[in-house]
Amino acid sequence: MKKSLLCVGSIAFDDLEMPSGSYKNVLGGAATYSALAASLLTSVRLVGIVGTDFDEANLQMLRDRGVDTEGVERASGKTFRWHGRYAPDLMSRTSLDTQLNVFADFRPKIPASYKQTPYVLLGNIHPALQIEVLDQVERPKLVAADTMNFWISGEPKILARC
């Protein structure tokens, strides 16, 4: 029997400048991509926040891949947006614009049906929010935390608690 993964983090729209062309309003976000990848191996429970501009068809696509979206909150305002340009070899990228929008006030709320999920992936969110998630789940077997230099250098004490 498959064990579930709880995936908490960003759900976004990306505008991408790639060597192959420019692409606008691409479904993005660390939690989105992690949930889609993990859905190939196990059932996934997704927690994130989207704005009123987020088309229901995107959530349905996730559901069609077996991702449980009960934990996706819809808030008034726009969904998190990122605009970036990738290098010709795709090995690096430059952020051109970041608009946190509803993600700026994101406080993960873990549904009761998710609290006993044995495996947890804490997406790249503020370490204090990662700790709030851990306070809401019941004795997970394994926790993986995604982070970046911004949090490592800016919040080392909080990050060490994850």
Side-chain angles (χ1 to χ4, degrees):
M1 180 164 73
K2 291 183 185 179
K3 297 291 184 178
S4 295
L5 171 72
L6 171 60
C7 185
V8 182
S10 63
I11 301 169
F13 288 125
D14 295 341
D15 292 338
L16 307 171
E17 295 180 23
M18 311 284 288
S20 60
S22 293
Y23 308 90
K24 294 199 177 284
N25 299 315
V26 175
L27 182 60
T32 305
Y33 286 114
S34 297
L36 287 170
S39 74
L40 297 170
L41 304 171
T42 192
S43 61
V44 179
R45 297 167 170 171
L46 179 61
V47 173
I49 189 168
V50 298
T52 52
D53 59 342
F54 197 83
D55 191 339
E56 180 64 25
N58 289 313
L59 290 176
Q60 187 59 49
M61 181 273 300
L62 289 162
R63 287 185 208 110
D64 290 346
R65 293 284 303 272
V67 176
D68 182 334
T69 62
E70 178 188 347
V72 177
E73 176 184 349
R74 190 176 292 273
S76 294
K78 292 184 177 183
T79 301
F80 174 54
R81 296 194 68 89
W82 180 77
H83 180 189
R85 178 179 301 123
Y86 281 82
D89 63 3
L90 300 176
M91 296 299 290
S92 63
R93 52 118 176 107
T94 301
S95 292
L96 302 174
D97 186 35
T98 302
Q99 298 172 23
L100 295 176
N101 299 323
V102 298
F103 193 60
D105 297 318
F106 178 50
R107 298 298 293 262
K109 296 170 200 74
I110 308 304
S113 62
Y114 290 12
K115 291 184 184 251
Q116 293 185 353
T117 307
Y119 304 101
V120 178
L121 173 60
L122 300 171
N124 184 9
I125 56 177
H126 193 288
L129 295 179
Q130 292 178 328
I131 291 169
E132 284 183 25
V133 170
L134 293 178
D135 288 342
Q136 295 177 63
V137 295
E138 299 172 11
R139 295 188 314 267
K141 291 181 180 183
L142 178 70
V143 176
D146 180 19
T147 193
M148 62 181 184
N149 290 346
F150 181 80
W151 301 127
I152 294 168
S153 61
E155 300 287 353
K157 289 180 184 174
I158 295 174
L159 188 61
R161 292 176 40 205
C162 289

